[in-house]
Amino acid sequence: MAASLSARPPRGFVQFLFNRKAFCTSHDLQQLSSVSASTERSVSVNDKGQEIVIPRKKKRDSLSVLRALASTVKRDPDSPHYKYVDDPFLIPTSSLAKRSNALSRESGRKAARYILENYSQWFNENPAEPPVDDFMPPKLAYTHTEPTEAALIERIEKRRVNDAIEVYKKAKQGNVEFSDSTCRQFLELLCVYNAQDPPVTMMPEEFYFRKDLGHETKRPSKTWKDDGMAERVFDELQEKSIEDQQNLIRGMARYLQTDKAFAMYDEMMEKKLPVHLLTFNELIRVATFHHDTYETKWKQVESLLMDMQLCGVEPDLTTFNNVLFSLSRVPYFRLAPSLLLQTLNEMKKLGIEPSLTSWKHSLVVYYPNDNADSNLLYKIMDYLEGKELTLQQPEDAEFFVTAMKRCCVNHHDVELAFRIDRLLNTGKNAELIGDSRLENMYYSFFLRLVCMLETMDRIMEVYQRVTPHLWTPNLSVLDELLKAVELQDGFQYLPLIWTDLLLFDFQRRAELLEKLLSLMAKQKQEDTLQSQYSHIAGQLLERFKDEHGDQRPTPLSTGPMVGHLITIAENSTDHDLAWDVFDTYCNNKNAFSGPPSDDAMKSLVAGCLERGDSEKAMAVVSFMESVEMAGTGEAVQMILDSDQVLLSQSQRDMLANI
Amino acid sequence: MSGKRVKRYSSSVSKGTESETTWVTSSRLVCVPSAALLAFRGLRTTPCALKNIRAGVPKATIHRNKPLTYEEAQAPYKIGVTKSWNSWHSANLKGEGFDARAAERTFDDILIRKFIKGTWPGLFASEVIVKRRHNLVVVAGLVFQQMTARKQYFLMGYSEEMLSYLLKCPVKLEIQTVQERSDVIFKKI
């Protein structure tokens, strides 16, 4: 075999190698020549006295390659989000399906984790080298069970606050003494988590949909445990260092025990103790929760800033964002806008780049209500346009929705809306849109504005880009869209909107469907469009026949809808369908609310007369009479005037009675 | 290789002394242990069972009504020609030493297949394909649409997480759906 292998490569292979080498050399030569050419050029430049600047070698970290690769990937609006499987059956389109599918996957993961935690003995086999702890069952049991210092440290490291408190209490009863450093760590733990176990971390999708699941962020209120464990541990410390005091102040400030926090802070300032930037930041954030009036609230912020200057503490982005947050909590304060501008100027002076959070707070201050007018949003957009932004603070996610809301509600400026949307689609900015609720609000404002003010073609361009994968529209947007169709005669888009209603699972919304059908029935369209309409009408009737008698209500549920279907069918000269609709309606009157419209009935009569079918025309008229329609007389006259039907004497008598 | 008589040692029927080994051509059986010998060893065979002696080649039925998927319809020697492998990894390549853990990987594959068959009962329309890329294991296959999409997403999350814990590496499921069994039937024999 080996012999044959060595014999296998024929001359062609050598030729290939040779050619390749030749190619390489020629290629290298080309490169060389180009290099020499450029050197010559640069030398000649050098003669004129200019320096060649050799670029410095760039330092790259272990993630640079991955980042470079990731930068080539963009969100494709025509494909589903990558968390869904790209398969027609598994792609969700309605908002409910999107949510339930994403959450189902997470709940499957949770189920696996539950098994891992409860049957951990089956998962201890570990072939991985090096071992990956994240794939091993969590070690729930402690190594130290006796109330000792080691046990306390173990619980602190695992962030098990309640267990740590228990150990601490037991140790105190047993007269076990802890070292100062351990007590400090314990105090810090208690202050950070307010002496209770930290909330369970949500899975990514759960976090994204948390507001839909009812995990709303609560309104801030005082939750600090007065005279609780933290304060007790603090009192029991023999030597209270500056760090300990600040930890306690930060804890109190974070959980809004502002009275005690500021009292302790004042005490520290009196003793001229150095205060850390983090403490100032926490205090500035809660300063507005401390006092009653706008003036005193702002005075508190101001005095904290003065103290910072006295202590020689350099402010950072968080400091300024907290000042802006305080201002955004008092948007009706007379001085708030000017103070805001001063703060922004100060940031500029110190060379601190404002984050999205800063802009969001600025918008809240400048647009305190829906009627406020200002050009701040334009200026912010001028500044931000084309920039690639990064998430720095959790509140950054609220910028886009706030900006779009103000654009829609206060400015009614569709060009500005497009600018905001362009910013959102720059680079990786789309990740900053926030959770499902914020995203929903953003697109809702955007599309409503576009539907109100744009031309039909442009509306549909935006609509088709955004739906169904980036976002599932809600009822109010679809309502606006139908209004736009009505206003601008965009009847050619109605079949598309109908399929979208099916996709988004809105076909049972009677008011929306009725509006859609009324637009379809409004006038006779050109042939292809009209035949699409009649196809839709046929579909609706089929569905009614299939589903009637089931528990769920059918899409076709009101009399006016039936009227519209009849009109659509008559417009498409599909008289059989019209009659079928009418017949179904007469047989299931209880399933529909309200009668069909007069005009629809008259067009049905006209259709019957055209076919020369006096029986059916009589049936329609007698139905009209039975529900006391205003147009009954006219319909009777139509039959009498018609020369296409021959009426029998009994029929004439009946008409005379009507 | 074609046309030549190749001696191949087959361990499917018996194992052990030289006299009991069977010699098989690429197409038909030359010699099998006598029925008496098999009976003596407690094995019962029928001529019908003996007809099917080649691994992976299904036996044709009288009425030609046994459905086969594309994968099943191709004999094993067509692997790499008209169909591909069900397990993709590099442990069996020449030069990969003991570190490549070829045996352990095969065992892992069995585990993955058993897990998937048990977790998705009767839902997989195809073989379970296991592909390894770096430290990632990709499990691919076709699934019927019997269950709602929501339930399938649940099973996906569950399988991925559970297999990750068992194999100690990230596992991904890559699933496509088919409407009914007839969609995956390639031919009937």
Side-chain angles (χ1 to χ4, degrees):
Chain A
M1 197 66 178
S4 74
L5 241 183
S6 61
R8 262 305 288 284
R11 268 181 42 228
F13 184 65
V14 180
Q15 197 74 37
F16 167 67
L17 272 184
F18 180 76
N19 284 346
R20 192 176 158 75
K21 205 167 180 192
F23 169 75
C24 284
T25 33
S26 73
H27 183 69
D28 287 351
L29 270 177
Q30 267 181 21
Q31 272 204 338
L32 267 179
S33 63
S34 71
V35 165
S36 65
S38 65
T39 339
E40 271 166 31
R41 225 179 296 131
S42 56
V43 166
S44 65
V45 170
N46 208 9
D47 287 341
K48 287 175 193 163
Q50 278 182 6
E51 285 284 310
I52 305 171
V53 184
I54 301 166
R56 302 189 63 159
K57 187 185 174 189
K58 271 193 181 171
K59 278 198 176 170
R60 305 198 191 276
D61 59 354
S62 55
L63 290 178
S64 311
V65 177
L66 287 180
R67 278 206 198 96
L69 281 175
S71 69
T72 61
V73 182
K74 252 170 75 177
R75 178 79 208 272
D76 173 14
D78 295 327
S79 68
H81 193 275
Y82 68 87
K83 67 190 166 197
Y84 305 114
V85 180
D86 196 357
D87 176 272
F89 177 70
L90 295 172
I91 295 173
T93 44
S94 72
S95 54
L96 179 72
K98 278 181 184 172
R99 191 171 73 212
S100 68
N101 286 2
L103 288 175
S104 293
R105 199 167 191 162
E106 296 288 44
S107 100
R109 286 179 197 283
K110 271 188 167 174
R113 261 179 219 188
Y114 173 85
I115 290 177
L116 180 80
E117 278 161 23
N118 286 280
Y119 301 92
S120 55
Q121 67 270 30
W122 308 112
F123 294 90
N124 283 323
E125 171 73 16
N126 189 7
E129 187 60 51
V132 187
D133 286 339
D134 285 354
F135 288 128
M136 297 306 285
K139 290 195 180 85
L140 294 170
Y142 298 109
T143 34
H144 304 279
T145 44
E146 292 299 308
T148 56
E149 185 158 353
L152 186 62
I153 292 174
E154 191 188 5
R155 282 152 186 73
I156 291 171
E157 275 168 1
K158 286 187 172 179
R159 305 281 188 272
R160 303 272 178 73
V161 185
N162 286 347
D163 292 353
I165 292 173
E166 204 172 298
V167 166
Y168 183 84
K169 278 181 181 163
K170 270 190 193 159
K172 282 285 159 187
Q173 282 166 6
N175 287 328
V176 181
E177 283 303 314
F178 295 118
S179 71
D180 266 11
S181 69
T182 314
C183 282
R184 291 215 165 102
Q185 276 184 35
F186 184 46
L187 176 65
E188 201 175 343
L189 181 81
L190 293 174
C191 290
V192 169
Y193 293 117
N194 194 17
Q196 58 195 1
D197 274 341
V200 184
T201 342
M202 284 185 232
M203 314 266 288
E205 289 308 319
E206 226 179 331
F207 182 76
Y208 181 74
F209 290 107
R210 68 188 184 284
K211 288 173 185 164
D212 298 337
L213 296 174
H215 302 300
E216 294 267 5
T217 34
K218 292 184 189 100
R219 290 182 72 80
S221 61
K222 199 202 96 178
T223 44
W224 177 257
K225 287 180 181 142
D226 285 321
D227 302 320
M229 206 55 205
E231 285 174 52
R232 210 176 111 194
V233 173
F234 182 74
D235 289 340
E236 282 169 9
L237 276 176
Q238 265 117 32
E239 207 177 299
K240 295 173 181 65
S241 72
I242 304 168
E243 230 9 78
D244 299 332
Q245 296 183 28
Q246 295 197 55
N247 276 334
L248 196 63
I249 293 177
R250 281 176 219 160
M252 286 169 169
R254 181 166 297 177
Y255 297 101
L256 291 177
Q257 176 43 283
T258 46
D259 295 345
K260 282 188 183 176
F262 278 104
M264 270 190 82
Y265 165 77
D266 289 341
E267 211 174 285
M268 279 184 81
M269 288 314 284
E270 265 171 37
K271 290 182 195 163
K272 299 223 167 9
L273 296 172
V275 180
H276 195 263
L277 174 68
L278 289 178
T279 315
F280 277 120
N281 284 352
E282 289 286 352
L283 286 174
I284 290 174
R285 191 169 175 84
V286 297
T288 45
F289 293 89
H290 185 41
H291 289 284
D292 298 334
T293 62
Y294 290 160
E295 266 85 10
T296 48
K297 280 172 197 248
W298 178 249
K299 276 275 162 335
Q300 186 66 60
V301 177
E302 223 167 29
S303 76
L304 281 165
L305 290 171
M306 297 294 238
D307 289 348
M308 275 178 86
Q309 201 183 13
L310 281 180
C311 298
V313 179
E314 285 274 316
D316 65 353
L317 178 66
T318 320
T319 318
F320 282 111
N321 277 346
N322 287 350
V323 173
L324 295 174
F325 170 75
S326 297
L327 281 172
S328 76
R329 277 190 38 87
V330 289
Y332 290 106
F333 179 33
R334 183 170 44 82
L335 297 172
S338 61
L339 288 170
L340 183 110
L341 286 188
Q342 280 175 29
T343 316
L344 289 176
N345 275 336
E346 192 72 18
M347 289 173 88
K348 204 174 174 186
K349 211 186 276 174
L350 288 170
I352 295 172
E353 172 86 18
S355 68
L356 285 184
T357 308
S358 326
W359 300 127
K360 184 236 151 186
H361 292 324
S362 314
L363 288 177
V364 174
V365 172
Y366 266 80
Y367 300 87
N369 54 41
D370 293 351
N371 303 319
D373 190 24
S374 154
N375 63 351
L376 185 76
L377 186 52
Y378 291 94
K379 292 202 168 149
I380 291 177
M381 284 314 297
D382 287 342
Y383 180 79
L384 287 177
E385 203 138 56
K387 280 192 182 163
E388 292 198 16
L389 309 157
T390 46
L391 188 72
Q392 288 168 305
Q393 283 170 322
E395 280 169 309
D396 282 2
E398 288 169 30
F399 169 75
F400 279 106
V401 66
T402 317
M404 194 50 93
K405 182 178 178 186
R406 290 306 157 206
C407 172
C408 173
V409 176
N410 296 52
H411 287 304
H412 300 291
D413 184 348
V414 77
E415 280 313 312
L416 183 65
F418 278 115
R419 279 173 73 189
I420 296 173
D421 196 55
R422 229 174 291 134
L423 178 67
L424 182 76
N425 290 315
T426 311
K428 296 229 174 271
N429 292 356
E431 288 167 6
L432 300 175
I433 198 168
D435 55 45
S436 70
R437 172 80 58 91
L438 297 176
E439 192 177 47
N440 204 358
M441 277 163 69
Y442 172 85
Y443 279 118
S444 185
F445 281 125
F446 179 41
L447 280 174
R448 258 159 57 196
L449 187 66
V450 169
C451 287
M452 270 189 268
L453 300 173
E454 266 299 339
T455 58
M456 201 60 221
D457 291 337
R458 194 118 181 249
I459 293 172
M460 290 316 282
E461 193 189 310
V462 176
Y463 175 80
Q464 283 184 314
R465 176 172 65 83
V466 170
T467 60
H469 294 308
L470 288 184
W471 179 62
T472 305
N474 49 25
L475 285 175
S476 63
V477 165
L478 286 173
D479 199 42
E480 278 307 326
L481 185 66
L482 288 180
K483 270 185 204 160
V485 168
E486 188 176 12
L487 215 63
Q488 308 190 28
D489 291 350
F491 295 110
Q492 71 274 29
Y493 296 114
L494 288 177
L496 177 92
I497 297 174
W498 157 249
T499 50
D500 277 1
L501 284 195
L502 293 181
L503 273 184
F504 307 146
D505 209 10
F506 279 143
Q507 73 269 32
R508 281 168 220 282
R509 302 296 182 128
E511 68 281 22
L512 200 66
L513 189 62
E514 200 173 306
K515 176 110 182 145
L516 180 80
L517 290 177
S518 77
L519 287 177
M520 283 186 189
K522 201 174 174 191
Q523 64 197 60
K524 194 174 162 68
Q525 306 292 342
E526 44 99 10
D527 284 350
T528 40
L529 189 60
Q530 191 63 44
S531 74
Q532 282 178 341
Y533 285 1
S534 83
H535 183 66
I536 293 170
Q539 270 184 330
L540 267 169
L541 185 67
E542 282 299 304
R543 277 195 69 158
F544 177 82
K545 283 180 182 170
D546 286 350
E547 292 179 6
H548 183 58
D550 288 0
Q551 290 297 317
R552 288 182 83 186
T554 53
L556 195 64
S557 58
T558 66
M561 280 188 206
V562 170
H564 296 319
L565 286 195
I566 291 171
T567 319
I568 293 167
E570 286 294 348
N571 281 347
S572 347
T573 56
D574 189 351
H575 178 67
D576 293 341
L577 177 64
W579 181 255
D580 201 1
V581 173
F582 178 72
D583 196 37
T584 315
Y585 172 74
C586 288
N587 291 335
N588 306 287
K589 266 186 209 147
N590 291 337
F592 301 97
S593 56
S597 63
D598 268 20
D599 295 335
M601 288 291 119
K602 271 187 255 166
S603 71
L604 185 63
V605 170
C608 293
L609 293 177
E610 226 163 84
R611 297 286 183 96
D613 200 335
S614 59
E615 291 274 324
K616 286 183 179 174
M618 292 295 297
V620 177
V621 170
S622 61
F623 164 76
M624 286 173 82
E625 198 235 343
S626 68
V627 292
E628 294 171 359
M629 276 191 188
T632 318
E634 277 178 53
V636 169
Q637 203 54 47
M638 271 164 71
I639 300 177
L640 290 174
D641 293 350
S642 170
D643 46 7
Q644 276 165 326
V645 286
L646 286 171
L647 294 175
S648 65
Q649 193 50 48
S650 59
Q651 282 173 332
R652 281 183 191 284
D653 292 347
M654 248 181 87
L655 286 178
N657 285 337
I658 290 167
Chain B
M1 223 186 204
S2 59
K4 270 190 197 171
R5 274 186 61 154
V6 178
K7 285 180 179 177
R8 193 195 278 165
Y9 180 72
S10 159
S11 61
S12 61
V13 181
S14 61
K15 232 181 197 180
T17 58
E18 186 67 26
S19 64
E20 283 171 22
T21 55
T22 56
W23 296 97
V24 179
T25 65
S26 61
S27 60
R28 58 181 278 272
L29 183 76
V30 176
C31 157
V32 288
S34 68
L37 185 61
L38 287 175
F40 175 70
R41 294 167 74 198
L43 284 173
R44 294 211 174 182
T45 61
T46 59
C48 187
L50 275 173
K51 213 170 90 182
N52 194 14
I53 45 140
R54 285 162 302 161
V57 183
K59 194 183 67 155
T61 51
I62 301 167
H63 299 297
R64 304 275 161 185
N65 58 357
K66 183 181 176 185
L68 291 183
T69 62
Y70 180 82
E71 201 270 342
E72 288 163 347
Q74 315 292 323
Y77 63 86
K78 294 266 186 77
I79 293 173
V81 184
T82 55
K83 73 167 180 179
S84 62
W85 292 264
N86 285 351
S87 295
W88 286 79
H89 58 82
S90 57
N92 291 325
L93 295 184
K94 192 185 175 193
E96 293 287 332
F98 186 70
D99 293 345
R101 304 174 68 249
E104 287 90 338
R105 282 183 183 199
T106 311
F107 182 77
D108 285 354
D109 287 356
I110 296 171
L111 178 107
I112 292 168
R113 294 210 164 89
K114 282 203 180 270
F115 180 87
I116 294 288
K117 285 269 156 70
T119 311
W120 301 70
L123 285 170
F124 258 68
S126 69
E127 293 297 315
V128 179
I129 312 293
V130 183
K131 302 181 233 180
R132 288 185 168 78
R133 293 178 203 143
H134 306 297
N135 71 335
L136 175 75
V137 177
V138 176
V139 179
L142 297 176
V143 176
F144 290 123
Q145 296 177 355
Q146 287 163 3
M147 267 193 333
T148 55
R150 202 170 60 178
K151 288 182 181 172
Q152 292 202 6
Y153 273 105
F154 176 87
L155 284 186
M156 251 179 259
Y158 175 77
S159 313
E160 283 179 353
E161 199 77 352
M162 203 66 176
L163 285 172
S164 294
Y165 288 134
L166 288 168
L167 303 174
K168 314 292 174 196
C169 65
V171 176
K172 263 181 152 182
L173 246 65
E174 282 179 2
I175 277 174
Q176 296 289 298
T177 57
V178 287
Q179 250 171 1
E180 48 198 312
R181 189 169 287 280
S182 63
D183 292 348
V184 287
I185 301 304
F186 176 63
K187 67 173 180 185
K188 291 185 175 172
I189 60 166

